[in-house]
Amino acid sequence: MDGLLGQACLFLGAALITVPIAKRCGLGSVLGYLIAGVVIGPVFGLVGGDVTDIQHFAEFGVVMMLFLVGLELEPRMLWEMRTKLLGLGGLQVVGTTALVTVCAMWFGQPWQIALAIGLILALSSTAIVVQTLNEKGLMQTPGGKSSFSVLLFQDIAVIPMLALMPLLALPELASTGGHDDHHGSTSLVSGLSPWLQALITAGAIGVVVLSGRYVVNPVLHYIARARLREMFTAVALFIVIGIAMLMSLVGLSPALGTFLAGVVLANSEFRHELESDLEPFKGLLLGLFFITVGAAIDTDVLFNNTLLVVALTLGIMAVKGGILALLAWTFRIRGRDAWLFALSLAQAGEFGFVLLSFATQNAVLPGDIGALLSLVVAFSMFLTPMLFIAYEQLVQPRFEAEDKRQADEIDETGTVLIAGMGRFGMIINRMLVSMGHKTVVLDHQSEQVARLAKFGVKTFFGDASRPDLLVSAGIAEARVLVVAIEDMERSLDIVRFARREYPKLHIVARAAGRMDVYRLYYAGADDIIRETFDSAVRAGRCAYEALGMHPYLAHKSAQAFVQFDRELMIRMAAYWDDEVAPEDNPAYIEEGKRQAAMLDTAMRGGRGSLLDASERGWIPPGSVPQAEGD
């Protein structure tokens, strides 16, 4: 069908028919878009096989999606992901590339072609996985977060892969190159010396970061005063398109550049406005991208190599799934999260099309191998929604009965909201209820909820790290939030959300150790309680008494220790660095030694001053305090 309007009607019409049907059948919107592409392409031939131009335009949906993902990630949160980002992501890319390369060489391919195939197939589909994880509410699960970390590393890894491809060129294929550039863009750095390219690239990244921090917000304030919503939308599009163009000019991934800009703007007060303005464009462009993937299936190559395409598709998905499962085991991702991690990333990705085109243009891959791999990439993407369905229908029900249960509908509010009803939270709830305070308690373990119900303790089932559940539980009306769950990452999520959205709320948080105290403190908790500290102090006081110290003096000494420890922790907070392990932080270690010496001096030298005249009168005659006996 010719003409822009005709094609627009065709693509939109196909999507309007298939996507609602796919959603109604529980297949998800991504599979609906892919089916729409297959219907208008290979099935009815309404569009030609060459939809490359439209696909390049639709890839901008991926760029917008990463900008919106960046808006959800503050730089500090990104830094906290560094272990998974580098560990999981790095090992996945390296491991998959190495294994696929070896397999390709075993089938007789030169090492250059084998390595190019390994790099191309190591990538997964950010567009499909992130959209599906968000649609299904799986993004905030440990498996979802781990998957996102790997996808983010892969998106960054595309840059060195693009730089490496020309070095793999085969002289015998050089004469077959000569296609236009994939995006038809002009590079300002091509032909420059490497050091000058690096300097310009670093400068472009600096421009993005500094503009996001010092220019964009004032511009948004200026536009907001005009009170023209369409201008705000225009600015949002200008930001994304402008950054994408800048990145293209310096030879970087537009998706990476917009992601970086999104992270810089994550703390902006206009974040939600930008999200709401760009969300419809992102959804439509991503949908268009998936339609073009379905429409681009080459039926001639497919029919002539059906078994080979199917075998390669299933083989590469099995290889990637196996490596991901091994990484999940290594990084202690267990149960349903490990399955989600392995199944969600087993496909090849949209950047695979980019690398395939780039490799063919640069005489790295022969045209027939490129066409075959394009089908493998498309088919693996086509199968991905089915893997998510398999996860939901077959895997998830096997783990934890509470997964089947939806969060309770919370019909009560209270002055205190307690997240977590284990032993820690249970004691707090009993203390508060015994004094007549109204509490609302949340716990994500259905067995614990049912067990407490038998004792008449009302507990609502649900994951307290979900902001919508906290809102339903009445966090807006509560005066105090008690975060009593054991999972520190979820605790930090809750504290950050509560502090950001409800600044006047008093937050009491449970910490496992001193490092958690610092993390919760910087997340915004008001009172942070180490779960074993008080019981350890009581045990120490008993030891004092067992050694002959008068009970009152033992009590006073224990209280003095608690006070000094609190002051010590506050002083050492200045030397704590979340980016450096305590044992690798010389300043922290030195201050710890100094404070420990001060504690010894204060406790030994100050024991006499612990008792004033009236307190001495409390001690029975003949009982000599240990402090005075030394």
Side-chain angles (χ1 to χ4, degrees), residues 544-576:
Y544 282 158
E545 295 176 12
L547 291 172
M549 185 181 289
H550 187 274
Y552 185 69
L553 183 58
H555 169 75
K556 292 290 292 183
S557 298
Q559 291 302 310
F561 176 86
V562 170
Q563 180 63 28
F564 193 89
D565 183 82
R566 177 182 173 82
E567 295 171 358
L568 178 151
M569 191 159 55
I570 294 173
R571 285 193 288 269
M572 290 191 66
Y575 300 90
W576 177 77

Side-chain angles (χ1 to χ4, degrees), residues 396-417:
Q396 206 167 17
R398 295 179 56 188
F399 293 91
E400 297 186 1
E402 58 263 33
D403 282 348
K404 297 178 182 177
R405 179 177 171 181
Q406 299 295 320
D408 289 338
E409 184 177 347
I410 303 174
D411 53 3
E412 296 180 7
T413 58
T415 54
V416 181
L417 180 58

Side-chain angles (χ1 to χ4, degrees), residues 15-339:
L16 288 173
I17 295 172
T18 58
V19 174
I21 295 175
K23 286 284 287 183
R24 186 176 290 271
C25 295
L27 302 179
S29 63
V30 173
L31 191 54
Y33 285 120
L34 289 169
I35 293 173
V38 173
V39 170
I40 64 175
V43 175
F44 292 110
L46 299 177
V47 295
D50 186 10
V51 292
T52 308
D53 291 339
I54 300 175
Q55 197 169 58
H56 292 167
F57 175 71
E59 283 173 4
F60 203 74
V62 180
V63 173
M64 281 192 176
M65 181 183 67
L66 284 176
F67 177 73
L68 294 175
V69 169
L71 283 177
E72 298 290 338
L73 291 175
E74 298 177 5
R76 184 178 182 81
M77 192 184 307
L78 192 61
W79 178 252
E80 290 171 356
M81 293 169 55
R82 63 189 184 280
T83 302
K84 289 184 176 177
L85 191 68
L86 298 176
L88 279 176
L91 289 174
Q92 187 274 330
V93 171
V94 172
T96 305
T97 301
L99 191 54
V100 173
T101 300
V102 170
C103 291
M105 292 178 67
W106 188 67
F107 280 103
Q109 296 296 333
W111 71 267
Q112 296 94 332
I113 293 179
L115 179 57
I117 294 173
L119 293 172
I120 291 166
L121 297 181
L123 304 178
S124 303
S125 175
T126 303
I128 291 179
V129 178
V130 172
Q131 175 137 333
T132 308
L133 288 174
N134 282 324
E135 281 184 0
K136 297 182 180 296
L138 297 170
M139 180 57 86
Q140 296 306 317
T141 65
K145 289 180 178 178
S146 299
S147 300
F148 178 75
S149 299
V150 172
L151 290 169
L152 188 55
F153 181 88
Q154 290 178 353
D155 291 340
I156 297 171
V158 170
I159 300 165
M161 288 180 183
L162 288 170
L164 180 63
M165 282 294 174
L167 304 179
L168 303 176
L170 296 172
E172 58 268 29
L173 297 177
S175 59
T176 63
H179 294 287
D180 293 336
D181 183 73
H182 175 70
H183 292 285
S185 59
T186 302
S187 173
L188 294 179
V189 298
S190 60
L192 299 178
S193 59
W195 69 266
L196 193 54
Q197 287 187 23
L199 189 64
I200 293 176
T201 301
I205 293 175
V207 167
V208 171
V209 174
L210 293 177
S211 299
R213 184 173 292 273
Y214 298 110
V215 178
V216 174
N217 271 330
V219 171
L220 291 175
H221 274 290
Y222 173 76
I223 296 298
R225 284 196 289 270
R227 297 183 178 180
L228 294 172
R229 184 172 177 80
E230 66 272 18
M231 288 306 300
F232 209 92
T233 303
V235 171
L237 288 172
F238 177 80
I239 292 171
V240 177
I241 295 172
I243 293 171
M245 187 184 72
L246 177 63
M247 292 294 104
S248 298
L249 289 175
V250 298
L252 290 179
S253 162
L256 178 63
T258 51
F259 172 78
L260 184 62
V263 173
V264 174
L265 291 171
N267 292 321
S268 169
E269 60 268 37
F270 295 101
R271 188 186 79 180
H272 297 296
E273 189 71 20
L274 290 170
E275 287 176 342
S276 62
D277 284 338
L278 292 177
E279 188 68 34
F281 294 99
K282 181 211 76 172
L284 283 174
L285 288 173
L286 275 180
L288 181 60
F289 173 77
F290 295 131
I291 293 175
T292 60
V293 170
I297 292 178
D298 190 330
T299 52
D300 292 335
V301 177
L302 175 61
F303 292 147
N304 293 330
N305 304 277
T306 304
L307 291 179
L308 180 60
V309 170
V310 172
L312 287 175
T313 302
L314 296 179
I316 186 61
M317 296 183 78
V319 167
K320 294 184 75 173
I323 291 176
L324 290 164
L326 180 62
L327 288 174
W329 180 81
T330 305
F331 283 80
R332 299 182 178 181
I333 302 171
R334 297 290 187 263
R336 60 189 185 280
D337 292 312
W339 280 98

Side-chain angles (χ1 to χ4, degrees), residues 425-456:
M426 198 184 307
I427 294 172
I428 299 169
N429 186 55
R430 285 169 53 194
M431 291 179 66
L432 292 168
V433 172
S434 67
M435 294 299 292
H437 295 288
K438 177 67 175 174
T439 63
V440 176
V441 184
L442 301 173
D443 198 287
H444 74 291
Q445 297 185 16
S446 61
E447 294 177 357
Q448 178 73 348
V449 173
R451 190 181 303 119
L452 292 171
K454 294 180 180 178
F455 291 91

